[in-house]
């Protein structure tokens, strides 16, 4: 029996040099693709392995064409590979392609055909997105790996505290950086024996996180001098600044700085119907980790150790008149303003002046 990839290569070589459109539905191990001609007729539907070699052998043998695929785990490297092969690649926003996401007939073959037809008619129907470069993705992987260790350490600390409380005792001073086997010395012998390996694992994670912190500082210092420009804002450290730069990558993709608030999902939704204009929650679209870091930065800016600035004054004033959930709304609004301000500093290159404006709401929030 012939392999699917071998058959696909032979069939792809038989396709004439017409203007072709391909829909590629990516799977973890195998993917479906559908080839349409200029008239929208299906020339070929086939499955291939989701590997660089199979992509090069099958799609690399085709003439230059338009290829549509959805965002997903494999879409970054696949889109870069196909672009290097000379094809026009459109990466569709998976959440916005409702013909696929909300279809009652969920099938990889049908999805590939739908992608091809949408790309052939109008690529804007796919809400195309742009993947970051290979270097930016590699540097961002270091940050994501650190975040995974932080989540694991938090889970282990919560486990240790919960087990101790259920025994009628407490771990004193649960600072993540100081959690080590010595903390168990104040506990009963039974708990000491049970928790010492757990606390040792927490200490080991803290050491690995410290190593990642040093690596992140080195990446920012050697490859991204713009980080220092963003760190002018008190409450924005190297981690927030570098994650911001790597996630957005190209500041000129936004026409106005305030568009960044929508991009990171911190913009409230809108629904105007007649006289009704309810206040909706933020969209929470975009990168969730960057949004989390911006909120953490906003907490510091509005907290007791935040430096005096136009942004802090604006946020505190908003919290005072916000009612029951005023503080929460002020934090989110400040995080959105922070995202806009960082973009403005990034694009303009100007020095940050914390108290630049006489009126807090007139701060330089938009380009």
């Amino acid at each position: 029996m012939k392999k699917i990839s071998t058959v696909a290569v032979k069939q792809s070589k038989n396709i004439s040099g017409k203007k072709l459109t391909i829909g590629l539905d990516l799977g973890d191990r195998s993917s479906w693709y559908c080839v349409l001609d200029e008239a929208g007729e299906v020339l070929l539907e086939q499955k291939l392995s989701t590997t660089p070699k199979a992509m090069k052998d099958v799609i690399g043998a085709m003439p230059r064409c338009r290829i549509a695929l959805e965002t997903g785990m494999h879409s970054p490297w696949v889109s870069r590979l196909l672009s290097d092969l000379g094809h026009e690649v459109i990466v569709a926003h998976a959440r916005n392609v409702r013909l696929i996401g909300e279809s009652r007939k969920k099938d990889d073959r049908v999805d590939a055909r739908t992608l091809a037809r949408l790309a052939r008619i109008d690529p804007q129907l796919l809400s195309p997105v742009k993947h970051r470069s290979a270097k930016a993705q590699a540097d961002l992987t270091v940050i994501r790996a650190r975040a995974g260790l932080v989540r694991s350490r938090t889970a282990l600390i919560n486990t240790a505290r919960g087990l101790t409380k259920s025994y009628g005792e407490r771990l004193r001073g649960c600072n993540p950086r100081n959690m080590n086997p010595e903390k168990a010395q104040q506990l009963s012998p039974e708990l000491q024996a049970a928790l010492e390996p757990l606390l040792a694992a927490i200490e080991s994670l803290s050491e690995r996180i410290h190593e990642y912190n040093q690596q992140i500082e080195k990446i920012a210092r050697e490859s991204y001098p713009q980080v220092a420009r963003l760190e002018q804002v008190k409450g924005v450290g190297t981690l927030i600044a570098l994650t911001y730069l790597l996630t957005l990558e190209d500041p000129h993709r936004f026409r106005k700085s305030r568009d960044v608030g929508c991009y990171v999902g911190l913009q409230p939704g809108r629904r105007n119907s007649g006289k009704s204009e309810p206040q909706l929650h933020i969209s929470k679209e975009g990168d969730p980790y960057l949004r989390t870091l911006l909120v953490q930065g906003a907490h510091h800016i509005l907290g007791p150790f935040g430096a005096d600035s136009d942004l802090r004054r604006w946020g505190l004033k908003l919290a005072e008149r916000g009612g029951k959930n005023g503080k929460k709304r002020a934090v989110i609004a400040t995080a959105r303003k922070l995202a806009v301000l960082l973009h403005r500093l990034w694009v303009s290159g100007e020095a940050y002046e914390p108290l630049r404006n006489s009126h807090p709401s007139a701060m330089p929030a938009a380009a």
Side-chain angles (χ1 to χ4, degrees), residues 8 51 56 64 76 125 159 166 197 209 233 239 263 291 309 335 362 364:
T51 62
K56 291 179 181 178
R64 186 182 186 278
L125 295 174
T159 299
S166 67
I209 292 172
V233 182
L239 179 62
Y263 176 77
R291 186 167 56 252
S309 65

Side-chain angles (χ1 to χ4, degrees), residues 80 132-141 219 223-224 246 249:
R80 288 194 295 265
R132 57 184 60 90
S133 65
K135 175 174 172 48
Q137 184 177 358
D139 293 336
L140 193 57
T141 299
I219 292 173
S223 302
Y224 302 95
L246 293 175
E249 190 174 15

Side-chain angles (χ1 to χ4, degrees), residues 9 12 19 35 46 98 113 136 182 187 242 300 304 319 359:
V9 170
S12 64
K19 185 177 180 181
V35 183
Q46 191 58 267
R98 296 191 176 184
R113 185 180 298 183
E182 296 179 359
L187 304 176
L242 185 58
H300 177 85
H359 193 278

Side-chain angles (χ1 to χ4, degrees), residues 256-308:
K256 296 185 297 184
S257 293
R258 62 164 52 99
D259 293 340
V260 181
C262 300
Y263 176 77
V264 297
L266 291 169
Q267 188 75 17
R270 296 182 63 184
R271 183 177 298 168
N272 297 338
S273 178
K275 296 183 179 180
S276 175
E277 190 175 348
Q279 186 173 12
L280 304 180
H281 296 290
I282 58 175
S283 65
K284 293 187 178 181
E285 295 180 349
D287 188 89
Y289 184 62
L290 175 59
R291 186 167 56 252
T292 298
L293 292 180
L294 289 172
V295 170
Q296 291 177 0
H299 273 290
H300 177 85
I301 291 172
L302 298 181
F305 302 105
D308 188 21

Side-chain angles (χ1 to χ4, degrees), residues 74-222:
H74 296 282
S75 63
W77 70 264
V78 171
S79 63
R80 288 194 295 265
L81 174 64
L82 297 180
S83 296
D84 293 339
L85 292 174
H87 297 290
E88 176 192 356
V89 182
I90 301 171
V91 183
H93 195 308
R95 291 180 59 183
N96 291 349
V97 186
R98 296 191 176 184
L99 282 176
I100 295 177
E102 299 180 5
S103 175
R104 294 186 178 182
K105 296 181 180 180
K106 191 66 178 171
D107 181 83
D108 294 342
R109 186 171 185 172
V110 175
D111 291 350
R113 185 180 298 183
T114 303
L115 281 170
R117 295 201 180 281
L118 290 174
R120 174 181 167 270
I121 297 171
D122 184 0
Q124 294 303 316
L125 295 174
L126 297 172
S127 300
V129 300
K130 180 182 178 182
H131 279 306
R132 57 184 60 90
S133 65
K135 175 174 172 48
Q137 184 177 358
D139 293 336
L140 193 57
T141 299
V142 175
I143 295 176
R144 297 290 174 82
R146 176 194 177 277
L149 290 184
V150 172
R151 287 193 297 269
S152 298
R153 183 178 66 178
T154 301
L156 291 180
I157 291 176
N158 290 337
T159 299
R161 295 180 64 186
L163 292 173
T164 306
K165 289 180 181 179
S166 67
Y167 207 76
E169 302 183 38
R170 287 181 180 272
L171 280 171
R172 303 296 178 183
C174 293
N175 188 322
R177 300 176 182 82
N178 298 326
M179 289 290 286
N180 50 53
E182 296 179 359
K183 290 285 185 181
Q185 295 178 0
Q186 57 184 308
L187 304 176
S188 59
E190 298 86 354
L191 274 180
Q192 288 186 32
L195 295 184
E196 279 185 0
L198 182 60
L199 296 176
I202 294 173
E203 184 180 29
S204 177
L205 284 178
S206 295
E207 294 174 356
R208 303 290 83 76
I209 292 172
H210 179 68
E211 293 174 0
Y212 269 126
N213 290 340
Q214 293 179 325
Q215 188 175 353
I216 290 171
E217 291 284 351
K218 181 179 179 181
I219 292 173
R221 183 173 60 255
E222 296 180 352

